[in-house]
Amino acid sequence: MNTYDDDKRKPNRLVHEKSPYLLQHAYNPVDWYPWGTEAFKKAKDENKPIFLSIGYSTCHWCHVMERESFEHQDLADIMNNNFVAIKVDREERPDIDAVYMEVCQAMNGNGGWPLTIIMTPEKVPFVAATYMPKKSILGRIGLMELLPQINEIWTKEYHKIEEQTSMIRFHFSERTTKKPMGKGTIDDNVLYLAFKHLENTFDEENGGFGNAPKFPSPHNLMYLLRYWNRSGDERALKIVEKTLSAMRSGGIYDHIGFGFHRYSTDSTWLVPHFEKMLYDQGMLAIAYSEAYQATGKPEFAETVREIFEYVERYMTSPEGGFYCAEDADSEGVEGKFYGWDIEEIKEILEEADAELFIDHFNVEKSGNFLDESTRQRTGKNILHIKTGPDETARKHNITIEKFQSAIEKSRQKLFKVREKRVHPSKDDKILTDWNGLMIASLAIASRALGELRYTYMAKRCADLILTSTYMRTGSLSHLCSERTETPSFLEDHAFLIWGLIELYETTFETSYLNAALKLNEYLLDNYWDEDNGGFYQTARTSESLLFRKKEVYDGAIPSGNSIAFSNLIRLGRMTGNTELEKKAYEIMKAFSGTISAIPIGYTQFLSGVNFILGPSSEVVIAGDLNSEDTKLMLSQLHKEYLPNKVVMVKPPGTEGNAITRIAEYTENIVMKDGKATAYVCRDLSCKEPTTDPEKMMQLIKDKK
């Protein structure tokens, strides 16, 4: 037999791990080790190469590779006899993943997951690939052929491996010692070039950028909003509106249970890769919140509410943390949970409602998309919208109110039926960095939409992280859990600091601002590159890998350096500590050449540049948070799109001392005539204090 007997299978060492991804492989016949000293000692003692496999629990091709290869005894025998096999969850150890992914990209010109690395016991790779079949197909070598070849070279021609590893060591040692290029600053022209690139690649018909596959890339949209706000170029705003509306209408959006899928496999947003990632929900909620502030369009606010309804329902732990992801697959089939056939809809809904629903969501008898492998229609439908509700309501001769009521009633019925299906698996890790992003997202949305519930959700999560790791140990852990402690990374600090800043500007509870400042100090002490500026991904005391990675590229989520850059600017402005802003300038200097060469890859960083170039404002309101006049001023600030500002509140009496301890310049800021008073400074120039909310807004928006 090729596959192992489920009734007699024995666990490997991964059975003692906490990661859902590692546990998925705990009963493979492959003798997997977790990353650690035991595995490396075995490899060294027995003089064996290491087979390193990196993936994550909701990765479709990771599942495929497991079923095709790692569940088979014949391949397991080859691996167990000749290699030491290590499994790594990329979300649990992003430092390991980042280093070996860069190796893979350098060796092959591309990367992805599952990531397959074969390396020496000293952690130096000599083979790098992504998905590999069990047996060779279509020019792609299979593991059954490759692994014996590697074993032969390892035992009989080791000098070839030494040559390869020497080249790799040299390449990456040169990379890490090389001084950064650049003129030291990033100017308005770079901001313009980033806009022009986005404009030139914009899909006029379908929204988004480029062709298939299409990723949401919300930080691109957030940058365009800032560029519109800065330049007044309406084209930038139109690109954002078109893209957000198209994604909301497309199959990339779950119209029954809400939330966004990972990306679209086509250019029209119809057929998604069905996994749902926490960071996509958080970043997209920010983009839709800011677009709502900029345009006032109700559909953007409604999308935010639905995203958080999904997150609260499926992705929130009992303690208030947020889970990582939901899988694309259920019952071994990608997207099975989300598809509908027309007869099923007709059985569930009454005739008139079914007719309206089928028309609105473009349901077809033969199905509305082609299967990726067979290129045939399957009879299944991905719900998506092509025409606006007004047009569809007119077509069916009903009012828009009746249309919306009928669609919502039908959605709820289908939701109840879908809940009985086998759900995709959930990755229930609570990662500090992704949760920090969600805290920021909830706080921003709470202000933009006036939804206090989102503040409550953000506070629960922040308090969970701060009490479960930071207050207990004095440092952060990447995995927020009492079950285990993992190293912390740049992203954990940067994203949590971001979340705490946003939470302070929503609640004005100084404890959150104090925590942000202390974490920022820790980050500077332990992650800062004293020679070249910028932050390393790992701390000075972290495990030594092939090289110490420093990244600024804004990929699926923004880089830690991009977020830390913005944090330093904002904390410097809030506290009046110019040393923090100097650090921000050092980061800009460190990466200026890289970013100026290809601005489109760094739009989150450029959002920070937009702030630092100005115009920007610092607003301190002297007032009682419970009084109506203070609430009115804050309401005015929150409802408009004003990205380049920081806001603080100094309560009257002794309560205000907490803010003065953080920011000495607020000592003489007091209420005038017993009224809430706004002190506005714009571009290093302070204006006359005002008790008039409208006057306050004029001072902030005045471009003179």
Side-chain angles (χ1 to χ4, degrees), residues 133-146 149:
K134 184 185 178 189
K135 295 183 178 180
S136 300
I137 51 168
L138 300 174
R140 186 185 285 261
I141 192 168
L143 292 171
M144 292 293 289
E145 290 77 33
L146 176 66
Q149 290 177 25

Side-chain angles (χ1 to χ4, degrees), residues 237-483:
L237 181 60
K238 294 302 179 187
I239 290 172
V240 173
E241 291 184 82
K242 172 71 175 179
T243 301
L244 291 177
S245 293
M247 288 194 300
R248 174 65 176 79
S249 298
I252 193 174
Y253 189 70
D254 178 1
H255 293 274
I256 297 299
F258 307 143
F260 280 90
H261 298 296
R262 182 67 194 90
Y263 62 85
S264 175
T265 62
D266 53 51
S267 62
T268 63
W269 305 107
L270 173 58
V271 183
H273 178 43
F274 284 92
E275 68 182 315
K276 289 181 177 177
M277 307 302 295
L278 180 67
Y279 57 74
D280 282 325
Q281 314 311 318
M283 290 296 293
L284 283 163
I286 295 173
Y288 279 96
S289 294
E290 292 188 343
Y292 174 65
Q293 288 176 312
T295 67
K297 287 191 172 181
E299 70 168 293
F300 296 151
E302 189 60 27
T303 305
V304 175
R305 293 187 180 98
E306 290 178 357
I307 289 171
F308 288 139
E309 184 178 328
Y310 160 73
V311 169
E312 189 170 20
R313 186 195 308 119
Y314 290 128
M315 303 293 282
T316 305
S317 76
E319 301 79 19
F322 300 108
Y323 301 136
C324 278
E326 285 195 305
D327 208 331
D329 300 10
S330 56
E331 301 180 84
V333 179
E334 181 174 6
K336 184 174 182 179
F337 181 73
Y338 299 100
W340 299 89
D341 62 60
I342 197 166
E343 294 305 322
E344 185 180 15
I345 292 172
K346 287 180 177 179
E347 286 176 14
I348 297 167
L349 303 179
E350 295 175 9
E351 185 176 350
D353 289 338
E355 183 183 339
L356 182 65
F357 190 90
I358 287 166
D359 188 19
H360 181 56
F361 287 108
N362 297 280
V363 177
E364 300 176 22
K365 188 171 184 178
S366 59
N368 61 14
F369 68 99
L370 301 180
D371 180 82
E372 192 174 357
S373 56
T374 67
R375 307 311 297 165
Q376 301 292 317
R377 291 185 182 267
T378 63
K380 293 295 181 181
N381 289 270
I382 298 170
L383 303 183
H384 65 289
I385 301 166
K386 289 183 178 178
T387 56
D390 290 331
E391 185 178 338
T392 307
R394 282 196 299 272
K395 179 180 174 182
H396 289 263
N397 198 29
I398 57 176
T399 64
I400 187 65
E401 291 78 17
K402 198 166 185 179
F403 166 83
Q404 291 170 334
S405 175
I407 291 295
E408 176 58 17
K409 184 176 70 172
S410 297
R411 184 198 69 79
Q412 291 181 16
K413 286 182 179 179
L414 292 176
F415 175 79
K416 288 179 181 177
V417 171
R418 198 180 77 172
E419 281 294 277
K420 296 174 184 176
R421 297 177 181 175
V422 176
H423 282 243
S425 64
K426 197 188 311 290
D427 187 326
D428 64 355
K429 295 192 303 296
I430 299 174
L431 300 179
T432 297
D433 53 351
W434 296 6
N435 274 254
L437 190 157
M438 281 302 302
I439 294 166
S441 179
L442 286 159
I444 290 167
S446 180
R447 298 196 301 266
L449 276 62
E451 293 278 3
L452 290 177
R453 171 144 194 81
Y454 303 153
T455 300
Y456 168 74
M457 292 170 66
K459 287 185 63 172
R460 277 190 81 208
C461 182
D463 294 345
L464 173 71
I465 295 173
L466 292 173
T467 55
S468 67
T469 55
Y470 176 63
M471 290 180 183
R472 182 164 52 87
T473 66
S475 62
L476 293 177
S477 173
H478 179 57
L479 185 61
C480 178
S481 169
E482 293 183 1
R483 298 176 298 180

Side-chain angles (χ1 to χ4, degrees), residues 89-98 431-433 476-479 486-497 519 522-523 527 535-539 542-543 545 549 560:
D89 181 339
R90 68 172 291 258
E91 294 166 353
E92 195 170 78
R93 289 300 302 268
D95 55 332
I96 299 169
D97 175 64
L431 300 179
T432 297
D433 53 351
L476 293 177
S477 173
H478 179 57
L479 185 61
T486 52
S488 58
F489 306 105
L490 163 62
E491 292 77 14
D492 296 313
H493 293 83
F495 278 82
L496 183 56
I497 292 165
L519 287 168
Y522 182 89
L523 188 61
Y527 292 78
F535 292 101
Y536 288 111
Q537 185 185 24
T538 53
S542 295
E543 176 184 1
L545 298 172
K549 188 164 177 67

